[in-house]
Amino acid sequence: MSLFNAFELSVWVTSVCGVLVAAWLVWRAHRKADLRALAGFAVMMALWCFGHLALFHNLQTLGMVLLLANPLMPTFFLHFALLFVNEGSAKGPWLSAIANHIGWVYLTSIMIVLYSIWVGAGDTVALMDGRPFFVFNELGAINLGYTVLLGVLGHVVLIVGWRQHSGNKKRSILAMFGVAAWGLLLATSFVFPSFGINVFPYPMLLLPSYLLLLVYGVVRYQILAVNRFANRALLALAMMLVVLCVIAVLGAFSGRIGLQALNGVPIWQLWLYSLIVLLIAAMVYPWVRRFSERLVFPGAVLNEQILESWNRELNKADSWEGLIAQGEQLLTQHLRQPIRIAFSGNKTSEALHLTLQKEPSGWFVQPHHTEDLSPGMRLTLDVFSSLFATRCEALERSLALAEAERKRLDEQHLVELGSLSAAMAHELRNPLNIISMASYNSPADTRRHIQEQLARADRLVSDMLVYSGKLTLQLQTVSLKPLLGSVLSVLNTEQVLMTVQVAEGLQLQADPHRLQQVFINLIDNALAYVRNQSDGSICIEAHYEGQDLVCRIHNNGPALDPSIEQEDLFRPFVSKRSGGSGLGLAIVRRIVDAHQGKIEHREDLGWPVSFECRFPCQQNSQL
């Protein structure tokens, strides 16, 4: 292949690429004016290349018109640069002014083109095999100078944008400057003949790369699909270069290794044949791959669309139950047989199933009883298991974040409730004190009744302050039996049989004031139910149990309403006993939780009502 033929082929490829790139940009523009301006630049570059081809084939007039329209190419580029840079919040006043008057720039460019055609600003010289090649004459200095000026101005606009923007926009501008340097190297050889330098324009053989690299640098961060195409194109180019190198080496040594027939074939024909074979192989590769996959893994139908569909459906689940149900449905539909998914340790009656297991390294999904499955179905299960494990990790993080946010909102609510309760306590106690003083001269029975109700109201206010306020602990070593003795001394235990089964020496790290409040609330609550019984009895027992100190308070009062759940029992205002505030057990729960303990109601200890408190003997050092 002669140099002229290589040059003509390069120009043809550039012209076709310009038209295809322009059509693709218009298709993907979606109201983006900058991409439409870039499409105009691609069209003008295609026409400029077609002008060279017209001269090669003796279409003198058409070729001169297209080549002298050269200023329109940087005009479109300047328009694109203004729109690309002057987008978003980073707008410059002088850039906006130029963008608003870009029509005048187009008009000026058209006038320069018409003037150049009218005065005949271009000539031809015989550069390659006697074929004509375009050069500017003396009258073409205006055309050439104006073209260079617009190109420089377009890149100045990009420099301003590079300083104003950040992130992907800045990276795109930097990529455009790299491509601009490459384009300058290629274009320099075009103007050599205009200055009397009779050198073959070797760089123009690589002209197709300029337009493709420029468009890729612009849209790679805007249209992500182009990156997949670029990856495939780069792979194809690398394979082509490898083939060219192998053929070159083979051609150089074929005579020495006895391949005389191959040695007689021109190297360019070997390259051409090899590239054609490579192109055919690339075209049939997807079908061959699918055929081999179905041959090796019969029954497996996996592709990117299916994987994306699985991932999309699994991402909709916001709970473990929903995720498992969605996974079972997807697998059942794909494999056409029932598949169950269960956590490790949960028994399932299904022979074929998947188990979920949390390990230190992350989630692990293991298929079971796959011996009778085809290789394709096993492959499907393995791929789905990997995808499902990834989704389990994402769901776990999502639920943890949601729980942390819920706790934060709960703490914020308690702070607000504490402030409100403190304000209410202040506002309520003032009128209560006034009522108390006003009842001083009332009859004895009336005064006693008022005082009882006032005491009840004061207790309710105090309980609200304790429950809603910030709970801080002052930890110290507490002897349990003396503490219980002080609690019983302040409570009215008449007509009730009190039994204390607490050994001497039982101790724990706790806040004595808060712990005293726990026992007062629990014992007072029991007294309220057994005081009016003839055989009322309360038993307090405590002992060590492993690493815990267990304290139980029993009473033989009426059993609790079976409709009240264990968890609801410790919620505020669940209690129905006469005179109660409904906050006693809720306060106990808060204090026990603050000590890293646990409280629960039990019915299996031989008493109608039993409350069990467990306190760890070794407290957390952060308390």
Side-chain angles (χ1 to χ4, degrees), residues 336-530:
R336 298 179 181 178
Q337 60 176 301
I339 305 291
R340 292 292 174 262
I341 303 175
F343 286 100
S344 179
N346 292 351
K347 295 182 179 180
T348 175
S349 58
E350 301 294 333
L352 176 61
H353 66 277
L354 303 180
T355 58
L356 301 176
Q357 185 173 354
K358 177 65 181 297
E359 298 183 350
S361 59
W363 284 91
F364 182 71
V365 182
Q366 177 66 44
H368 293 276
H369 303 294
T370 60
E371 296 81 5
D372 294 332
L373 296 182
S374 65
M377 297 178 70
R378 290 188 186 183
L379 176 64
T380 300
L381 284 178
D382 290 339
V383 173
F384 185 86
S385 297
S386 177
L387 183 65
F388 199 81
T390 302
R391 180 52 194 156
C392 286
E393 295 177 0
L395 180 61
E396 184 180 34
R397 291 193 298 269
S398 176
L399 294 177
L401 289 175
E403 179 65 17
E405 179 65 13
R406 186 192 65 79
K407 289 183 178 179
R408 187 189 67 81
L409 293 176
D410 287 345
E411 292 176 358
Q412 180 181 354
H413 175 68
L414 286 175
V415 171
E416 295 172 352
L417 183 59
S419 300
L420 177 62
S421 300
M424 287 181 59
H426 176 74
E427 295 298 327
L428 287 174
R429 277 176 170 160
N430 285 336
L432 290 177
N433 291 333
I434 295 174
I435 294 173
S436 179
M437 291 184 294
S439 67
Y440 183 75
N441 295 323
S442 301
D445 291 341
T446 303
R447 185 168 62 252
R448 187 185 71 255
H449 181 68
I450 292 175
Q451 293 298 328
E452 289 176 353
Q453 297 303 316
L454 289 175
R456 178 186 175 188
D458 186 71
R459 186 166 57 253
L460 176 59
V461 171
S462 299
D463 287 348
M464 287 181 62
L465 286 173
V466 171
Y467 180 73
S468 60
K470 183 178 180 180
L471 190 61
T472 58
L473 301 180
Q474 302 295 327
L475 294 180
Q476 62 186 48
T477 302
V478 178
S479 296
L480 189 58
K481 190 167 185 178
L483 180 71
L484 287 171
S486 64
V487 169
L488 295 176
S489 66
V490 299
L491 295 175
N492 182 12
T493 60
E494 295 180 1
Q495 299 179 352
V496 176
L497 176 60
M498 296 295 303
T499 306
V500 178
Q501 299 177 356
V502 179
E504 297 286 351
L506 289 182
Q507 295 180 338
L508 73 157
Q509 290 290 316
D511 185 320
H513 173 70
R514 298 297 186 182
L515 193 59
Q516 188 179 51
Q517 199 167 11
V518 167
F519 290 121
I520 288 176
N521 284 5
L522 291 176
I523 297 172
D524 186 58
N525 190 62
L527 287 171
Y529 286 101
V530 303

Side-chain angles (χ1 to χ4, degrees), residues 512-564:
H513 173 70
R514 298 297 186 182
L515 193 59
Q516 188 179 51
Q517 199 167 11
V518 167
F519 290 121
I520 288 176
N521 284 5
L522 291 176
I523 297 172
D524 186 58
N525 190 62
L527 287 171
Y529 286 101
V530 303
R531 182 179 288 115
N532 296 325
Q533 293 183 186
S534 59
D535 59 345
S537 177
I538 297 176
C539 177
I540 305 172
E541 61 167 314
H543 60 274
Y544 289 124
E545 193 171 293
Q547 296 297 318
D548 297 337
L549 189 149
V550 180
C551 184
R552 295 168 180 157
I553 300 175
H554 315 282
N555 71 80
N556 63 346
L560 299 182
D561 188 346
S563 64
I564 300 178

Side-chain angles (χ1 to χ4, degrees), residues 126-251:
L127 185 63
M128 297 170 292
D129 296 342
R131 302 294 182 93
F133 189 81
F134 176 83
V135 294
F136 285 105
N137 56 28
E138 294 181 354
L139 297 175
I142 296 177
N143 186 299
L144 181 60
Y146 180 76
T147 300
V148 173
L149 177 63
L150 288 183
V152 171
L153 183 58
H155 286 84
V156 169
V157 171
L158 291 179
I159 292 175
V160 174
W162 183 80
R163 298 185 62 181
Q164 291 179 346
H165 289 280
S166 61
N168 288 338
K169 181 81 72 173
K170 192 168 188 174
R171 296 186 187 97
S172 293
I173 294 174
L174 188 62
M176 280 187 271
F177 267 101
V179 176
W182 177 248
L184 180 63
L185 176 63
L186 301 181
T188 301
S189 62
F190 163 72
V191 297
F192 278 169
S194 299
F195 293 97
I197 303 174
N198 194 13
V199 177
F200 181 79
Y202 290 102
M204 290 191 67
L205 296 176
L206 300 175
L207 192 60
S209 63
Y210 168 71
L211 183 60
L212 296 177
L213 290 175
L214 176 63
V215 174
Y216 177 64
V218 173
V219 303
R220 67 171 300 186
Y221 297 111
Q222 301 184 43
I223 305 175
L224 297 180
V226 76
N227 293 287
R228 184 181 303 172
F229 172 79
N231 181 56
R232 295 175 179 174
L234 187 61
L235 178 62
L237 179 61
M239 292 299 299
M240 290 172 61
L241 293 176
V242 170
V243 168
L244 292 178
C245 293
V246 171
I247 294 299
V249 173
L250 189 61

Side-chain angles (χ1 to χ4, degrees), residues 56-95:
F56 294 161
H57 296 278
N58 298 319
L59 299 175
Q60 180 86 11
T61 303
L62 178 61
M64 281 294 176
V65 170
L66 294 178
L67 290 171
L68 289 175
N70 184 50
L72 289 174
M73 190 163 26
T75 303
F76 276 105
F77 183 81
L78 174 62
H79 190 192
F80 156 74
L82 288 169
L83 294 173
F84 185 79
V85 169
N86 215 35
E87 183 182 29
S89 58
K91 291 185 178 181
W94 68 275
L95 293 179

